[in-house]
Amino acid sequence: MGTPVGAELDVVLPETRTMVAVLYVGLFAMSFDFVSGYTGYLSFGHAMFYGIGAYFVVLAATDKVPLLGAGTPFVVLLLAGAALAVVVALLVGAVSFRLTGVYFAMITLGFAEVAHVFVRNWGYVSSNPRDGASIGGSEALSIGIPGVATLDVGQLVGDSYESLLGLGIDLSTADVSYYAVGVVVLLSYFAMQRIVHSPFGRVMVAVRENEERARAVGYDTFRYKMGAFAVSAFFAAVAGALFAAYRRSVHPGNSFDLFVTADALLASIIGGLGTLAGPLYGHIFHEFVEGVLSTEEHGLARYLRETLPNTVLGAGYGDVTVVRIVNVLIDGRAELYLGVVFILFVLYVPHGILGTLRERLGGPVAERLPDRARRYLRGGGD
């Protein structure tokens, strides 16, 4: 950045391509929170639905899905993949929701691991299924309404614009992908938010708070749980489809793996379980920490090594110098500190960032914060 603090901003602000990943992973984390945070049933196998959406798009784009050729619009593939995830969710849920608590979490994890192993050895995907599959060629997948308005997304093959509408604004492929993916994520969020605040959503919360009582007053809690599971699978698959469209490749490790679900769980704990939007903030925080402690050019360690004078870097006692401390404690240590952050949040901020804010403000942040700000500006704040 060409500002007096450009180097410092490069350290703390994520790059656009990072924010694209934040959007689709954030949507996946929100889908995880939809069922886990609002019904109280932790779906440890949620990565399975993310993987279904991602693999479905890649296989269809490579002409390996019957009736859906390589030229099928991306929005059709996205919806078809999400519908397939719903079918799988209903089959998995029919068995899993006969259990509760840790047993439910473990059986969903078991189903996901079966799917993981199956995909890793499924020769139909590619000649080496352990490495996954990719979309070849230069044709990008487009987000939008076919024949009306679409935007190509992708790291290298997406749309880009120079001097948009003559305003002198240049948009790179990452910028275009960011806005296009952002629209889908925003629509998905509003859809889930609408469900959460509907009578259906209130029954989901009743199941979480006291399932026996919800059943006693006449609700068929099994059907409500199945519905919540199916909706969450739908949006998890949408997130996976966006991931595949942007990355143009997928493999079992970044789609069906347990650690994909773990990322969603981490984002939900940090952002606030049962807040829907909280997991998105949680994942932004995750990416912020990873970016700052990265070994790459924009990381804090490299910034300190290039900015601090040699006299400071070499200062210390014996072999323990400033530069050694930077190399050992900062450079590439994101996972270490994220683990510590996770523990601290579980112990001291159990409701996460958004949940704690709601508690302090006494209601939804969007409603309460402007009122608090007005009261503070008038001198009547708390």
Side-chain angles (χ1 to χ4, degrees), residues 258-341:
L258 168 63
F259 285 102
V260 176
T261 303
D263 282 342
L265 176 62
L266 179 63
S268 299
I269 294 294
I270 293 175
L273 203 61
T275 60
L276 195 59
L280 179 62
Y281 297 121
H283 191 63
I284 291 174
F285 180 83
H286 181 169
E287 289 294 336
F288 166 76
V289 174
E290 276 201 337
V292 169
L293 301 178
S294 166
T295 59
E296 296 180 12
E297 187 178 352
H298 58 273
L300 178 62
R302 184 164 299 193
Y303 168 79
L304 292 174
R305 286 194 295 262
E306 293 176 354
T307 307
L308 294 176
N310 289 332
T311 51
V312 174
L313 291 173
Y317 183 77
D319 291 338
V320 183
T321 60
V322 172
V323 69
R324 176 161 289 189
I325 291 173
V326 169
N327 291 339
V328 172
L329 296 182
I330 299 178
D331 203 0
R333 296 291 185 266
E335 297 302 325
L336 169 66
Y337 292 109
L338 280 170
V340 174
V341 166

Side-chain angles (χ1 to χ4, degrees), residues 365-377:
V365 176
E367 294 178 9
R368 299 291 183 180
L369 193 58
D371 184 47
R372 286 292 185 96
R374 281 194 294 271
R375 288 166 56 189
Y376 178 80
L377 292 173

Side-chain angles (χ1 to χ4, degrees), residues 21-32:
V22 165
L23 288 173
Y24 57 70
V25 177
L27 176 58
F28 173 62
M30 285 192 284
S31 75
F32 172 84

Side-chain angles (χ1 to χ4, degrees), residues 10 14 22 50 74 86 95 141 166 192 203 205 210 262 339 342 357:
D10 282 341
V22 165
Y50 184 78
F74 171 66
V86 168
V95 177
L141 297 174
M192 285 189 280
V203 177
V205 174
N210 192 327
F342 180 78
L357 272 176

